Amino acid sequence: MDDASDGQMDGLCVTDCTRCPELVEARSRIVNGAGPDDAELVFLGEAPGANEDEKGEPFVGRSGSVLDDALRDVGLARSDVRITNCVRCRPPENRDPKVAELENCAGWLERELELVDPELLVTLGKVPSEHVLDRSVAVTSEAGDVVDARIGGRAQRVLVCVHPAATLYDRSQEETFTDTIARAADLANLTDGEGGQANLGDF
Ligand code: URA
């Protein structure tokens, strides 16, 4: 899969990849995952949008603010977690990534997860959930479910979550989203066990 002739990875970063002609044409840059290289909690989105393509970091637009707020509510900062995407280049007109594009990028994600080795992977929305679990997922009803999956031959505990953008067009999703983020912090052992602030020793 990681054929060096059409893409390379340096540590956790894909430094060059030409596997998806339409994405290579549309992107300004490759948007790699961001956050600690030993994070216990990794969030997985779909693909970069315009803001991410411009800034070179996942979830830096409105969806990112929703995620940041929910993390803050459980005492976490963005710098405590890793955030990455199924596909690392912006699809034109923000269309969904094609199956071939998801497959082309899968090896990079598998390698990232193998190196980071997180306790928990949180799939944000339908595309990442179905990509990782390899089945159809009704995200709204399955949000908060924990699944023991295999990703690239490696065992990975996965928590299904609605996409943060869903809370922007459907307020009824807010509680589902924030509850799932609280569950994620708990499952990754990043809270004090009472839903309170993490890292209390820092105060
Ligand atoms: N930004 C990302 O980086 N990924 C998404 O899925 C949505 C917004």
Side-chain angles (χ1 to χ4, degrees), residues 59-79:
F59 283 94
V60 289
R62 288 180 71 203
S63 299
S65 301
V66 173
L67 179 58
D68 287 345
D69 289 348
L71 287 170
R72 200 175 311 118
D73 284 350
V74 294
L76 294 176
R78 172 179 281 250
S79 55

PDB file of all heavy atoms in Angstrom, residues 59-79:
ATOM      1  N   PHE A  59      -9.735  20.390  11.422  1.00  0.00           N
ATOM      2  CA  PHE A  59     -10.771  20.971  12.296  1.00  0.00           C
ATOM      3  C   PHE A  59     -10.384  22.346  12.858  1.00  0.00           C
ATOM      4  O   PHE A  59     -10.309  22.531  14.063  1.00  0.00           O
ATOM      5  CB  PHE A  59     -11.115  19.993  13.442  1.00  0.00           C
ATOM      6  CG  PHE A  59     -12.007  18.861  12.982  1.00  0.00           C
ATOM      7  CD1 PHE A  59     -11.468  17.652  12.577  1.00  0.00           C
ATOM      8  CD2 PHE A  59     -13.388  19.018  12.911  1.00  0.00           C
ATOM      9  CE1 PHE A  59     -12.273  16.613  12.116  1.00  0.00           C
ATOM     10  CE2 PHE A  59     -14.206  17.990  12.458  1.00  0.00           C
ATOM     11  CZ  PHE A  59     -13.643  16.786  12.059  1.00  0.00           C
ATOM     12  N   VAL A  60     -10.133  23.283  11.955  1.00  0.00           N
ATOM     13  CA  VAL A  60      -9.845  24.650  12.391  1.00  0.00           C
ATOM     14  C   VAL A  60     -10.966  25.626  12.015  1.00  0.00           C
ATOM     15  O   VAL A  60     -10.855  26.818  12.257  1.00  0.00           O
ATOM     16  CB  VAL A  60      -8.489  25.162  11.844  1.00  0.00           C
ATOM     17  CG1 VAL A  60      -7.336  24.463  12.529  1.00  0.00           C
ATOM     18  CG2 VAL A  60      -8.401  25.001  10.335  1.00  0.00           C
ATOM     19  N   GLY A  61     -12.073  25.109  11.442  1.00  0.00           N
ATOM     20  CA  GLY A  61     -13.215  25.957  11.112  1.00  0.00           C
ATOM     21  C   GLY A  61     -14.280  25.878  12.198  1.00  0.00           C
ATOM     22  O   GLY A  61     -13.986  25.634  13.369  1.00  0.00           O
ATOM     23  N   ARG A  62     -15.540  26.050  11.804  1.00  0.00           N
ATOM     24  CA  ARG A  62     -16.640  26.061  12.791  1.00  0.00           C
ATOM     25  C   ARG A  62     -16.788  24.710  13.491  1.00  0.00           C
ATOM     26  O   ARG A  62     -17.054  24.658  14.686  1.00  0.00           O
ATOM     27  CB  ARG A  62     -17.958  26.452  12.102  1.00  0.00           C
ATOM     28  CG  ARG A  62     -17.990  27.925  11.725  1.00  0.00           C
ATOM     29  CD  ARG A  62     -19.291  28.289  11.057  1.00  0.00           C
ATOM     30  NE  ARG A  62     -20.416  28.301  11.980  1.00  0.00           N
ATOM     31  CZ  ARG A  62     -21.693  28.162  11.617  1.00  0.00           C
ATOM     32  NH1 ARG A  62     -21.991  27.973  10.343  1.00  0.00           N
ATOM     33  NH2 ARG A  62     -22.654  28.207  12.506  1.00  0.00           N
ATOM     34  N   SER A  63     -16.615  23.622  12.752  1.00  0.00           N
ATOM     35  CA  SER A  63     -16.695  22.291  13.383  1.00  0.00           C
ATOM     36  C   SER A  63     -15.616  22.153  14.450  1.00  0.00           C
ATOM     37  O   SER A  63     -15.842  21.557  15.507  1.00  0.00           O
ATOM     38  CB  SER A  63     -16.478  21.182  12.360  1.00  0.00           C
ATOM     39  OG  SER A  63     -17.437  21.218  11.376  1.00  0.00           O
ATOM     40  N   GLY A  64     -14.451  22.707  14.162  1.00  0.00           N
ATOM     41  CA  GLY A  64     -13.348  22.646  15.111  1.00  0.00           C
ATOM     42  C   GLY A  64     -13.661  23.406  16.385  1.00  0.00           C
ATOM     43  O   GLY A  64     -13.303  22.968  17.494  1.00  0.00           O
ATOM     44  N   SER A  65     -14.365  24.547  16.245  1.00  0.00           N
ATOM     45  CA  SER A  65     -14.744  25.319  17.448  1.00  0.00           C
ATOM     46  C   SER A  65     -15.718  24.514  18.306  1.00  0.00           C
ATOM     47  O   SER A  65     -15.635  24.541  19.543  1.00  0.00           O
ATOM     48  CB  SER A  65     -15.422  26.639  17.062  1.00  0.00           C
ATOM     49  OG  SER A  65     -14.562  27.392  16.273  1.00  0.00           O
ATOM     50  N   VAL A  66     -16.643  23.806  17.649  1.00  0.00           N
ATOM     51  CA  VAL A  66     -17.598  22.969  18.400  1.00  0.00           C
ATOM     52  C   VAL A  66     -16.837  21.889  19.163  1.00  0.00           C
ATOM     53  O   VAL A  66     -17.098  21.625  20.346  1.00  0.00           O
ATOM     54  CB  VAL A  66     -18.642  22.334  17.440  1.00  0.00           C
ATOM     55  CG1 VAL A  66     -19.525  21.332  18.176  1.00  0.00           C
ATOM     56  CG2 VAL A  66     -19.487  23.406  16.768  1.00  0.00           C
ATOM     57  N   LEU A  67     -15.874  21.276  18.490  1.00  0.00           N
ATOM     58  CA  LEU A  67     -15.075  20.232  19.133  1.00  0.00           C
ATOM     59  C   LEU A  67     -14.252  20.820  20.287  1.00  0.00           C
ATOM     60  O   LEU A  67     -14.227  20.259  21.395  1.00  0.00           O
ATOM     61  CB  LEU A  67     -14.158  19.571  18.089  1.00  0.00           C
ATOM     62  CG  LEU A  67     -13.232  18.464  18.573  1.00  0.00           C
ATOM     63  CD1 LEU A  67     -14.020  17.324  19.222  1.00  0.00           C
ATOM     64  CD2 LEU A  67     -12.382  17.922  17.413  1.00  0.00           C
ATOM     65  N   ASP A  68     -13.620  21.961  20.050  1.00  0.00           N
ATOM     66  CA  ASP A  68     -12.822  22.609  21.110  1.00  0.00           C
ATOM     67  C   ASP A  68     -13.682  22.909  22.338  1.00  0.00           C
ATOM     68  O   ASP A  68     -13.257  22.686  23.474  1.00  0.00           O
ATOM     69  CB  ASP A  68     -12.229  23.940  20.608  1.00  0.00           C
ATOM     70  CG  ASP A  68     -11.090  23.728  19.615  1.00  0.00           C
ATOM     71  OD1 ASP A  68     -10.569  22.602  19.529  1.00  0.00           O
ATOM     72  OD2 ASP A  68     -10.739  24.695  18.919  1.00  0.00           O
ATOM     73  N   ASP A  69     -14.894  23.427  22.104  1.00  0.00           N
ATOM     74  CA  ASP A  69     -15.788  23.771  23.229  1.00  0.00           C
ATOM     75  C   ASP A  69     -16.155  22.528  24.030  1.00  0.00           C
ATOM     76  O   ASP A  69     -16.161  22.552  25.262  1.00  0.00           O
ATOM     77  CB  ASP A  69     -17.078  24.440  22.715  1.00  0.00           C
ATOM     78  CG  ASP A  69     -16.824  25.841  22.189  1.00  0.00           C
ATOM     79  OD1 ASP A  69     -15.720  26.369  22.430  1.00  0.00           O
ATOM     80  OD2 ASP A  69     -17.723  26.393  21.526  1.00  0.00           O
ATOM     81  N   ALA A  70     -16.469  21.440  23.318  1.00  0.00           N
ATOM     82  CA  ALA A  70     -16.868  20.207  24.015  1.00  0.00           C
ATOM     83  C   ALA A  70     -15.691  19.632  24.793  1.00  0.00           C
ATOM     84  O   ALA A  70     -15.863  19.116  25.904  1.00  0.00           O
ATOM     85  CB  ALA A  70     -17.401  19.189  23.007  1.00  0.00           C
ATOM     86  N   LEU A  71     -14.496  19.737  24.232  1.00  0.00           N
ATOM     87  CA  LEU A  71     -13.305  19.266  24.949  1.00  0.00           C
ATOM     88  C   LEU A  71     -13.101  20.106  26.207  1.00  0.00           C
ATOM     89  O   LEU A  71     -12.832  19.584  27.297  1.00  0.00           O
ATOM     90  CB  LEU A  71     -12.065  19.351  24.048  1.00  0.00           C
ATOM     91  CG  LEU A  71     -11.975  18.318  22.919  1.00  0.00           C
ATOM     92  CD1 LEU A  71     -10.834  18.660  21.958  1.00  0.00           C
ATOM     93  CD2 LEU A  71     -11.764  16.914  23.489  1.00  0.00           C
ATOM     94  N   ARG A  72     -13.236  21.426  26.051  1.00  0.00           N
ATOM     95  CA  ARG A  72     -13.045  22.330  27.200  1.00  0.00           C
ATOM     96  C   ARG A  72     -14.030  22.000  28.317  1.00  0.00           C
ATOM     97  O   ARG A  72     -13.680  22.018  29.495  1.00  0.00           O
ATOM     98  CB  ARG A  72     -13.209  23.786  26.749  1.00  0.00           C
ATOM     99  CG  ARG A  72     -12.589  24.783  27.702  1.00  0.00           C
ATOM    100  CD  ARG A  72     -12.663  26.214  27.192  1.00  0.00           C
ATOM    101  NE  ARG A  72     -12.202  26.351  25.812  1.00  0.00           N
ATOM    102  CZ  ARG A  72     -12.947  26.764  24.794  1.00  0.00           C
ATOM    103  NH1 ARG A  72     -14.215  27.072  24.966  1.00  0.00           N
ATOM    104  NH2 ARG A  72     -12.438  26.866  23.581  1.00  0.00           N
ATOM    105  N   ASP A  73     -15.255  21.654  27.940  1.00  0.00           N
ATOM    106  CA  ASP A  73     -16.284  21.320  28.941  1.00  0.00           C
ATOM    107  C   ASP A  73     -15.890  20.123  29.803  1.00  0.00           C
ATOM    108  O   ASP A  73     -16.394  19.957  30.905  1.00  0.00           O
ATOM    109  CB  ASP A  73     -17.623  20.990  28.258  1.00  0.00           C
ATOM    110  CG  ASP A  73     -18.333  22.235  27.775  1.00  0.00           C
ATOM    111  OD1 ASP A  73     -17.893  23.345  28.129  1.00  0.00           O
ATOM    112  OD2 ASP A  73     -19.326  22.088  27.032  1.00  0.00           O
ATOM    113  N   VAL A  74     -15.037  19.247  29.263  1.00  0.00           N
ATOM    114  CA  VAL A  74     -14.606  18.092  30.065  1.00  0.00           C
ATOM    115  C   VAL A  74     -13.164  18.273  30.544  1.00  0.00           C
ATOM    116  O   VAL A  74     -12.506  17.311  30.938  1.00  0.00           O
ATOM    117  CB  VAL A  74     -14.782  16.747  29.315  1.00  0.00           C
ATOM    118  CG1 VAL A  74     -16.248  16.460  29.082  1.00  0.00           C
ATOM    119  CG2 VAL A  74     -14.007  16.697  28.014  1.00  0.00           C
ATOM    120  N   GLY A  75     -12.689  19.510  30.491  1.00  0.00           N
ATOM    121  CA  GLY A  75     -11.379  19.816  31.072  1.00  0.00           C
ATOM    122  C   GLY A  75     -10.200  19.491  30.180  1.00  0.00           C
ATOM    123  O   GLY A  75      -9.069  19.371  30.648  1.00  0.00           O
ATOM    124  N   LEU A  76     -10.477  19.337  28.880  1.00  0.00           N
ATOM    125  CA  LEU A  76      -9.386  19.010  27.950  1.00  0.00           C
ATOM    126  C   LEU A  76      -9.138  20.165  26.987  1.00  0.00           C
ATOM    127  O   LEU A  76     -10.052  20.927  26.658  1.00  0.00           O
ATOM    128  CB  LEU A  76      -9.726  17.755  27.146  1.00  0.00           C
ATOM    129  CG  LEU A  76      -9.833  16.445  27.927  1.00  0.00           C
ATOM    130  CD1 LEU A  76     -10.271  15.319  27.000  1.00  0.00           C
ATOM    131  CD2 LEU A  76      -8.495  16.104  28.587  1.00  0.00           C
ATOM    132  N   ALA A  77      -7.904  20.253  26.539  1.00  0.00           N
ATOM    133  CA  ALA A  77      -7.549  21.206  25.491  1.00  0.00           C
ATOM    134  C   ALA A  77      -7.274  20.424  24.221  1.00  0.00           C
ATOM    135  O   ALA A  77      -6.997  19.223  24.263  1.00  0.00           O
ATOM    136  CB  ALA A  77      -6.301  21.981  25.896  1.00  0.00           C
ATOM    137  N   ARG A  78      -7.349  21.115  23.091  1.00  0.00           N
ATOM    138  CA  ARG A  78      -7.024  20.482  21.804  1.00  0.00           C
ATOM    139  C   ARG A  78      -5.630  19.833  21.857  1.00  0.00           C
ATOM    140  O   ARG A  78      -5.400  18.785  21.287  1.00  0.00           O
ATOM    141  CB  ARG A  78      -7.078  21.565  20.724  1.00  0.00           C
ATOM    142  CG  ARG A  78      -6.586  21.145  19.373  1.00  0.00           C
ATOM    143  CD  ARG A  78      -6.710  22.285  18.397  1.00  0.00           C
ATOM    144  NE  ARG A  78      -8.066  22.404  17.941  1.00  0.00           N
ATOM    145  CZ  ARG A  78      -8.477  22.116  16.701  1.00  0.00           C
ATOM    146  NH1 ARG A  78      -7.628  21.705  15.799  1.00  0.00           N
ATOM    147  NH2 ARG A  78      -9.729  22.244  16.355  1.00  0.00           N
ATOM    148  N   SER A  79      -4.722  20.468  22.589  1.00  0.00           N
ATOM    149  CA  SER A  79      -3.345  19.948  22.651  1.00  0.00           C
ATOM    150  C   SER A  79      -3.232  18.646  23.446  1.00  0.00           C
ATOM    151  O   SER A  79      -2.184  18.012  23.460  1.00  0.00           O
ATOM    152  CB  SER A  79      -2.414  21.003  23.251  1.00  0.00           C
ATOM    153  OG  SER A  79      -2.918  21.396  24.513  1.00  0.00           O
TER     154      SER A  79
END
